Amino acid sequence: SQQGEEDPQALSIQEGENATMNCSYKTSINNLQWYRQNSGRGLVHLILIRSNEREKHSGRLRVTLDTSKKSSSLLITASRAADTASYFCATDWAQGGYNKLIFGAGTRLAVHP
Amino acid sequence: SQTIHQWPATLVQPVGSPLSLECTVEGTSNPNLYWYRQAAGRGLQLLFYSVGIGQISSEVPQNLSASRPQDRQFILSSKKLLLSDSGFYLCAWGQGAQPQHFGDGTRLSIL
């Protein structure tokens, strides 16, 4: 079964509002990553949080990780219409010199002007 | 800087026809290479990964195969396409445990 599960599946907000997406996973991880995908395009890496970190910031993005609950959240503050995309969490089972990412089904975010 | 190229962007193929999708990476050496498939509205499923020339690991049994004839070239193939092979195929590269970098994908439709 899938390692990561995002919640909600879809989120619709107004520009300027904050968007929070959650991700749960099932087994131990090396790190957790969040990616963004614009419609019909490839994925773009947003942020990586290691298993020994609890919170990380990058611009308007804030990611938290709770390994005891096997969950993570992505917060986008002051959202913009350009933030409209699908967001995926991916858990990393790095082994033998490569990283094996297990992706969730994603959250589709729509930000309305 | 590193770039990844994937082509074609879209492809419509009849059932039973062969397939060849190509992915090349520039600006890095000995990358780990990955092929993923994404069903509509879903996450990515890892199909193959490669840690070096000629080294291919398959994640799921399927009608597809992969090859890595050169360090920065990764090819996804099939001898006979099935309807179930339709989807969005993404190539990615990475180094060690660093984040992966994705191409723009190929949308494959099987008729």
Side-chain angles (χ1 to χ4, degrees), chain A residues 25-54:
Chain A
Y25 58 93
K26 296 179 181 175
T27 63
S28 298
I29 60 173
N30 295 308
N31 63 62
L32 186 144
Q33 303 175 30
W34 285 90
Y35 288 81
R36 167 195 167 124
Q37 183 181 35
N38 288 350
S39 180
R41 302 298 298 275
L43 277 70
V44 175
H45 177 258
L46 295 176
I47 198 164
L48 179 153
I49 186 165
R50 302 186 194 287
S51 59
N52 62 352
E53 297 176 310
R54 292 297 168 259

Side-chain angles (χ1 to χ4, degrees), chain A residues 35 37 41 97-100, chain B residues 32 34 38 49 59 104:
Chain A
Y35 288 81
Q37 183 181 35
R41 302 298 298 275
Y98 72 96
N99 63 333
K100 178 177 174 178
Chain B
N32 296 326
Y34 307 84
Q38 184 178 28
Y49 65 88
E59 283 295 299
D104 278 338

Side-chain angles (χ1 to χ4, degrees), chain A residues 25 51 54 65-71:
Chain A
Y25 58 93
S51 59
R54 292 297 168 259
L65 179 64
D66 187 335
T67 54
S68 66
K69 296 181 179 179
K70 291 186 170 58
S71 66

Side-chain angles (χ1 to χ4, degrees), chain A residues 69-107:
Chain A
K69 296 181 179 179
K70 291 186 170 58
S71 66
S72 174
S73 67
L74 170 66
L75 169 67
I76 303 174
T77 59
S79 63
R80 306 165 181 168
D83 294 328
T84 295
S86 292
Y87 293 82
F88 296 90
C89 69
T91 49
D92 180 2
W93 296 15
Q95 50 184 285
Y98 72 96
N99 63 333
K100 178 177 174 178
L101 295 180
I102 308 296
F103 285 84
T107 293

